[in-house]
Each structure stands twice: as structure tokens, then as C-alpha cells.
């Protein structure tokens, strides 16, 4: 929590930090069960594929606290997870997180958190989280992402307290997710769902192979409370109007 608050302070230096932060963790089964419940995963002896992101969140915030700008206004716009094999409960994991340099974007500048997870010497999981720092952009930068939405297969009713419940199990207490009054100064009429909750809920609804890559783009925030539709077809999945995803075995 303190690291998150430090990240919200004015930036430091002129370049992104070049450190690689590492941490060894053993997963708490009680915390894991609470996370699985909030995100819709069946409780198993394997980690939900989005859970390592939660384990690495503190390291990401520690790097962001060294960035040349405040974290206020930073938007998570895309996330790609590669699971090389299921990660088993009880394994001791080594997390490593680094951050890329800033790149131009049509709405500002982007940077990426690069996260890897090893069990012993074996690389079992990795991810790239793309974030946008809004500001003066470059119209010459194009987005080559094309996506055909799949048909609707389910409807989800999301409660007003979803952001608070996910914050409790993820450590992400960004005020835009907690209460409407806290979200309004940032331009939202109500609190919004966490993007990584939305991705987790999608993956919980899919039949996943042991090894895969799941790449998503976050298109538009989900206001809470809300009713949204989910769809899946072949290698595509979506929360219509809000998230677009591709699953590659």
C-alpha cells in the first residue's frame, strides 16, 4: 500500500528505472482461495493463470515509484500472459520484474512491465503489461490490432463492491476502483472494474490448455455496478465493448 502511494507522488529522474526486482514467494493457500472466489476460478492445486500478476504487483509498483512521472493518470491498456505449464500450489517461485523505456503512442507514451516466474531454474510463466501515460501523443503511431468480436455466450451482473473485493485480494487499491466519489475526480461517474479482474474472469470462463498465451486489450472501462456480456469462439473471447482477447495454445 505504501509503495502504491509513493508511485502516486511526482516523478523522479528523466528515464525509466533499469533495475530488475526479484522476490521469492510461497503462495498462501488462504489468499489464493479468496482470489479464486472473487474471480470465478474453481479452487484447484494449480494457480489461476492470472494469479502471478497479483504476486508481482508490489514489485511493479516499486519500479513505478522510480519512474519520471506520477502514477496518477497511468492506464493499463493491454496485457499478455504466457503460461508454459500450470504453476502448482506449494512450489516456491522466484518473481522477476523489469520495466521498458517509454515509447510514443497516439495518446501519450507507453511502457511495459516485463514479469517472469521461475520454479527453480524452470521458466513457468511470463507476462507483458502495457501501460499508457496520457499526454501529448504521436498521430503517426498506428495500432495493428484487429479483432472480430465473438457472439454472446453469457451475461455477467457485476456488483457495486466488485472493485473493493478485488482490491482486497489483489493489493491494487487504486481509488478509481473503490468508490464512485473517489473515481469522479479522475473523470469516471462511478467506480470502475479492475482490468485484470476482467481478464481473470474471462480466463475462468474458458477451457484452458496447460500451456498457452492469452493476450487482451482493454477497450473501455466497466462502470460498477453493471451488466456486461461475455463471448467466446475459437481462439477469441471478449467482454463486449470493454475487453478483446486472443488465446493461443
Amino acid at each position: 500500500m505504501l509503495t502504491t502511494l509513493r508511485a502516486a507522488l511526482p516523478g523522479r529522474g528523466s528515464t525509466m528505472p533499469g533495475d530488475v526486482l526479484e522476490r521469492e514467494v510461497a503462495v498462501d493457500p488462504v489468499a489464493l482461495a479468496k482470489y479464486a472466489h472473487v474471480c470465478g476460478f474453481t479452487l484447484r492445486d494449480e494457480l489461476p493463470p492470472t494469479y502471478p500478476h497479483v504476486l508481482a504487483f508490489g514489485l511493479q509498483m516499486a519500479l513505478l515509484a522510480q519512474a519520471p512521472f506520477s502514477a496518477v493518470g497511468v492506464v493499463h491498456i493491454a496485457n499478455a500472459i504466457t503460461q508454459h505449464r500450470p504453476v502448482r500450489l506449494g512450489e516456491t517461485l522466484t518473481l522477476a520484474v523489469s520495466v521498458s523505456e517509454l515509447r510514443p503512442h497516439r495518446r501519450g507514451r507507453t511502457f511495459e512491465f516485463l514479469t517472469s516466474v521461475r520454479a527453480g531454474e524452470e521458466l513457468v510463466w511470463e507476462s507483458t503489461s502495457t501501460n499508457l501515460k496520457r499526454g501529448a501523443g504521436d498521430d503517426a503511431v498506428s495500432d495493428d490490432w484487429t479483432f472480430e468480436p465473438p457472439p454472446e455466450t453469457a451475461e455477467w451482473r457485476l456488483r457495486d463492491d466488485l472493485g473493493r473485493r478485488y482490491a482486497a485480494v489483489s493489493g491494487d487499491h487504486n481509488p478509481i476502483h473503490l468508490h464512485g466519489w473517489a473515481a469522479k475526480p479522475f473523470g469516471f461517474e462511478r467506480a470502475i472494474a479492475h482490468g485484470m479482474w476482467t481478464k481473470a474472469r474471462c480466463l475462468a470462463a474458458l477451457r484452458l490448455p496447460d500451456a498457452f498465451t492469452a493476450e487482451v486489450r482493454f477497450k473501455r472501462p466497466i462502470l460498477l455496478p453493471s451488466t456486461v456480456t461475455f463471448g467466446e469462439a475459437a481462439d477469441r473471447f471478449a467482454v463486449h465493448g470493454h475487453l478483446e482477447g486472443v488465446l493461443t495454445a
Side-chain angles (χ1 to χ4, degrees):
M1 183 71 166
L2 289 176
T3 304
T4 304
L5 291 174
R6 284 197 297 270
L9 296 175
R12 298 166 177 80
S14 59
T15 61
M16 299 297 282
D19 302 339
V20 178
L21 301 185
E22 294 192 356
R23 177 189 174 202
E24 189 174 277
V25 299
V27 175
D28 178 353
V30 175
L32 178 65
K34 291 178 179 178
Y35 173 87
H37 176 70
V38 170
C39 297
F41 289 103
T42 300
L43 194 59
R44 305 170 61 186
D45 61 356
E46 299 171 354
L47 271 59
T50 47
Y51 196 64
H53 176 89
V54 168
L55 298 177
F57 180 72
L59 297 179
Q60 294 178 356
M61 290 300 100
L63 287 172
L64 192 54
Q66 303 174 45
F69 49 78
S70 167
V72 175
V74 170
V75 182
H76 192 185
I77 60 172
N79 177 270
I81 286 173
T82 296
Q83 177 176 286
H84 296 286
R85 68 155 172 83
V87 182
R88 293 180 288 275
L89 181 62
E91 291 187 290
T92 298
L93 306 173
T94 301
L95 315 177
V97 179
S98 61
V99 65
S100 73
E101 283 297 337
L102 294 165
R103 299 182 177 90
H105 186 275
R106 55 189 175 82
R107 291 186 290 157
R109 296 177 295 171
T110 61
F111 63 94
E112 297 172 335
F113 288 118
L114 309 173
T115 304
S116 65
V117 178
R118 294 183 181 273
E121 296 300 316
E122 181 186 6
L123 178 65
V124 293
W125 187 97
E126 54 191 321
S127 76
T128 301
S129 293
T130 305
N131 296 270
L132 171 69
K133 178 61 176 177
R134 288 179 287 196
D138 185 348
D139 292 336
V141 178
S142 62
D143 185 351
D144 58 0
W145 176 268
T146 58
F147 187 83
E148 182 182 348
E152 175 184 334
T153 57
E155 183 178 89
W156 299 338
R157 296 183 179 180
L158 312 183
R159 290 166 27 190
D160 175 74
D161 66 347
L162 174 60
R164 298 188 291 278
R165 290 189 293 120
Y166 184 77
V169 299
S170 70
D172 184 351
H173 294 274
N174 188 324
I176 63 176
H177 303 299
L178 304 181
H179 297 279
W181 59 264
K184 283 182 179 178
F186 299 94
F188 302 103
E189 62 181 87
R190 304 197 299 274
I192 64 173
H194 293 72
M196 285 306 294
W197 176 87
T198 310
K199 180 172 184 176
R201 183 64 186 89
C202 288
L203 296 189
L206 301 175
R207 183 182 294 274
L208 299 171
D210 285 346
F212 63 89
T213 295
E215 181 179 4
V216 304
R217 301 288 181 99
F218 303 112
K219 308 302 289 187
R220 191 173 77 237
I222 299 175
L223 297 173
L224 298 173
S226 191
T227 298
V228 297
T229 57
F230 169 78
E232 59 171 308
D235 63 344
R236 291 168 291 116
F237 59 94
V239 176
H240 296 101
H242 302 282
L243 176 148
E244 298 174 348
V246 175
L247 183 70
T248 305

